[in-house]
Every structure is written in C-alpha cells, then in structure tokens.
Amino acid sequence: MSVTQGPVRVVKPRDLADWPVFAGLARFFWGCAALLMAVVAGFFILVTVMNSADSEGWRSPWPILRTPVTQLAVAAVVLGGLYFAPGFRRLARTTRLALLGPLACAVPVFVVLWSCAVAA
C-alpha cells in the first residue's frame, strides 16, 4: 500500500537581493552609460564629418568607424552573455543590471582610448 502525499507544490525561486537600492544603482549606471555612449557617438560622427570634408574629396568613413563598431558589438555580446549566464541568472533582474552597469560605463571609455591608441 502506498501513501499519497498530496499535490506537489511548485515554489518560484525567490529573487536574491531584490532591494530598491539596486534599482537606483541600475538607473544611475545605465544612465551614465547612455550619456557616455552619446558623447562617444557624437565624437566619432564629428571625426567622420571632418575627415569627409577633407580637401582631397570624399573618403569612406568605414576605416574610422570599424574599430568602435566592432568593439561595441563585442561588448554587447559579452554583456548579453553575462546577463543570461546561469550563475548570474539566479539574481534578481535589477541586481543583474546594477552589476553590469559599471561594465557598460567602461565600454565607451575603452572605445575612445583604444581608438586614440590605434590612431597614434
């Protein structure tokens, strides 16, 4: 004779460290990242326009923009991969965003520094 234990209760995993401070940190870091990205994009647009207005005639902007575009694509893949990593996935969404925010802020700074190093 078997004993039934009743229906199985499925419990959702508790969001680890889902505190309001992480929402504020996420907004701050991603706001800084957006502002830095806008400044970097404006810088590269200005450089491209100045290069195109050169007296030798119109040149393709792709050699100038290839390095930052490639770096931003790689950064997007890395940040996306970290966001969905299994160990990272157990954290709350706001906590993940707050932890990835400083990395997202570092990407535009790295793009400018790398472009200046390559141009030198």
Side-chain angles (χ1 to χ4, degrees):
M1 181 169 136
S2 73
V3 177
T4 45
Q5 296 180 3
V8 177
R9 196 171 123 197
V10 178
V11 179
K12 289 184 178 182
R14 184 175 67 93
D15 281 339
L16 299 175
D18 193 14
W19 297 333
V21 69
F22 288 117
L25 282 174
R27 284 188 201 108
F28 173 74
F29 285 132
W30 285 95
C32 288
L35 183 65
L36 285 170
M37 194 61 68
V39 168
V40 168
F43 171 73
F44 280 107
I45 288 172
L46 177 68
V47 168
T48 304
V49 167
M50 296 301 281
N51 193 26
S52 296
D54 196 7
S55 62
E56 297 175 10
W58 190 84
R59 288 188 273 175
S60 174
W62 180 243
I64 296 172
L65 297 176
R66 180 177 50 222
T67 301
V69 167
T70 305
Q71 288 174 350
L72 292 177
V74 168
V77 168
V78 168
L79 288 174
L82 280 175
Y83 184 80
F84 292 109
F88 212 64
R89 189 82 179 147
R90 282 183 269 157
L91 296 172
R93 184 177 60 88
T94 56
T95 306
R96 284 183 279 170
L97 289 174
L99 289 173
L100 289 176
L103 290 175
C105 288
V107 170
V109 174
F110 180 73
V111 167
V112 169
L113 293 176
W114 182 263
S115 299
C116 292
V118 170

